[in-house]
Amino acid sequence: MPLILTSQHAAHPDSGQVHPVPSEITPRALYATRRQWLRDAVLLGSGGLAASSWSGALAQTSAPVSAATVTRPGKRAALPAVRSSVPGALAVDKLTSYEHITTYNNFYEFGTDKSDPAEYAHTLRTRPWTLSIEGEVGRPLKLGLDDLLKLGAMEERIYRLRCVEGWSMVIPWVGYSLSTLLQRAQPTSRAKFVEFISLADAQQMPGVRSSVLDWPYVEGLRIDEAMHPLTLMAFGLYGEVLPPQNGAPLRLVVPWKYGFKSAKSIVTIRLTEKPRPSSWMLANPREYGYYSNVNPTVDHPRWSQATERRIGEGGLFAPRKPTLMFNGYGAQVAQLYAGMDLRKFY
Ligand SMILES: Nc1nc2c(c(=O)[nH]1)N[C@H]1C(S)=C(S)[C@@H](COP(=O)(O)O)O[C@H]1N2
Ligand SMILES: [Mo]
């Protein structure tokens, strides 16, 4: 039943409403269904079904169940969302647990151990927060967090995340397409690339005092990659606002690229005519490229990329999963790279 839920407001991404708004043209029956589903989601969400019931629920229904229904009970502010209708946005893989997603992190601004962000990121102040959209835009913007939260209809997206280090997770994000945000700033015809710059404040981020990377953390996409509907501006996960260790209050998620492309705690988005090298390219150009599309046939200089370890599924000796080209999103994104040698343009 709920599959039709988001198609309508996907057509109105700038409705300015966090909650979906019924359009006048929605047939009454569909609208009723939509409202009922939202009520169910809210009820189940506050009831706090355990994440482990996810696979069971999947087995019983033909359509994937909203992760809003597996929201953790009130640990952080709820961020209501409807399931995305963007093709490929709802992976049916078993969800990684909230515990794993929020305790096994890469966020070097808080240290380089996987457990450092969960331990230290509580010092991140996420309010007030201002995002600046600048560069090759007709309308430069400075947006506060409350404006950002209202700017697009919140969708749930279930994405695989593949880290270049060879592990992966399945994360139910909440957010809206980055294109919704970029369109607001009216990119000029010279806007060919988009740069994402994370906060770098040594007062709040102890890792910024180390020279492991050149701060601030900078990542980039080609404009067509940035405008692709799968490219997500995420504000939450598991139906709640992002915890700091996952990049609160807003972070990028580009599911077909290695995880490091998905910059956390973003303060500036700059549209440019020329690409700027990312922090990882500057740190080690031999190991990290600009595109960094997930590609099982192109090995990292120090390890194979053919397989991955799904965090939380079995111990160290559990069989590794084969890594999929474009992390399994090829049907949606392969055409962005038509004619390019993906071994060369890593
Ligand atoms: N600012 C910033 N963004 C970052 C990182 C980082 O160290 N700093 N690490 C990246 C890497 S390597 C990965 S795999 C993902 C991890 O996201 P997660 O901790 O939410 O799973 O964030 C990416 N974004
Ligand atoms: Mo990563």
Side-chain angles (χ1 to χ4, degrees):
M1 46 113 190
L3 269 184
I4 37 81
L5 280 173
T6 55
S7 57
Q8 171 223 351
H9 79 271
H12 301 283
D14 294 337
S15 66
Q17 302 284 331
V18 173
H19 301 281
V21 182
S23 122
E24 283 114 34
I25 57 159
T26 307
R28 208 181 169 72
L30 284 188
Y31 175 40
T33 308
R34 181 177 295 122
R35 280 203 314 200
Q36 182 59 52
W37 178 79
L38 282 170
R39 213 174 297 130
D40 290 347
V42 167
L43 288 173
L44 287 166
S46 53
L49 281 183
S52 55
S53 64
W54 171 257
S55 45
L58 253 191
Q60 287 158 25
T61 56
S62 52
V65 171
S66 169
T69 64
V70 289
T71 295
R72 288 163 48 81
K75 188 161 182 284
R76 298 183 187 277
L79 192 56
V82 294
R83 294 181 301 162
S84 183
S85 61
V86 169
L90 293 173
V92 295
D93 304 42
K94 183 175 180 291
L95 296 185
T96 302
S97 74
Y98 186 88
E99 272 68 27
H100 282 113
I101 294 170
T102 58
T103 58
Y104 188 93
N105 299 100
N106 277 332
F107 199 170
Y108 277 21
E109 288 86 336
F110 294 100
T112 53
D113 285 352
K114 294 286 178 284
S115 57
D116 283 341
E119 190 171 347
Y120 300 115
H122 59 88
T123 53
L124 180 68
R125 289 190 305 272
T126 57
R127 272 179 196 273
W129 192 273
T130 306
L131 172 73
S132 168
I133 308 183
E134 53 193 54
E136 288 294 347
V137 290
R139 190 174 159 219
L141 296 173
K142 284 203 194 302
L143 296 162
L145 187 53
D146 290 318
D147 295 331
L148 288 161
L149 288 167
K150 282 184 291 194
L151 196 136
M154 288 292 168
E155 295 179 18
E156 174 180 277
R157 307 271 185 105
I158 299 171
Y159 285 165
R160 289 176 291 277
L161 173 97
R162 171 60 155 83
C163 176
V164 74
E165 296 163 344
W167 52 264
S168 64
M169 298 189 187
V170 183
I171 304 182
W173 301 107
V174 177
Y176 49 75
S177 292
L178 174 68
S179 64
T180 302
L181 192 53
L182 295 184
Q183 272 154 9
R184 283 285 174 114
Q186 301 167 2
T188 71
S189 58
R190 285 184 302 278
K192 301 289 191 325
F193 296 90
V194 187
E195 207 172 282
F196 303 89
I197 305 175
S198 299
L199 180 72
D201 178 359
Q203 299 289 313
Q204 306 176 52
M205 303 170 132
V208 167
R209 284 173 223 140
S210 104
S211 55
V212 58
L213 283 176
D214 235 349
W215 312 108
Y217 193 100
V218 175
E219 262 305 338
L221 296 173
R222 232 170 46 190
I223 186 81
D224 57 340
E225 297 177 321
M227 297 299 276
H228 191 283
L230 281 174
T231 300
L232 183 70
M233 205 74 248
F235 297 85
L237 63 83
Y238 266 105
E240 300 180 354
V241 300
L242 287 173
Q245 58 267 40
N246 292 89
L250 77 163
R251 57 92 54 87
L252 191 68
V253 186
V254 194
W256 69 95
K257 291 177 180 281
Y258 290 118
F260 65 83
K261 298 296 293 180
S262 297
K264 295 178 166 181
S265 305
I266 295 171
V267 288
T268 305
I269 297 179
R270 188 177 297 134
L271 288 81
T272 61
E273 201 165 1
K274 301 263 153 53
R276 168 172 162 191
S278 66
S279 296
W280 285 106
M281 289 167 77
L282 293 171
N284 197 335
R286 217 175 68 85
E287 299 194 353
Y288 307 106
Y290 185 83
Y291 282 94
S292 295
N293 291 315
V294 174
N295 187 339
T297 73
V298 177
D299 288 340
H300 185 278
R302 289 182 280 141
W303 57 82
S304 163
Q305 293 293 30
T307 63
E308 64 199 52
R309 183 168 66 95
R310 192 55 64 83
I311 299 299
E313 294 183 22
L316 278 178
F317 303 105
R320 294 171 66 92
K321 290 181 185 296
T323 287
L324 305 173
M325 186 65 203
F326 295 117
N327 203 21
Y329 300 93
Q332 289 79 36
V333 304
Q335 84 281 356
L336 294 173
Y337 311 101
M340 282 175 63
D341 180 351
L342 294 171
R343 292 175 164 275
K344 197 165 148 217
F345 292 97
Y346 158 67

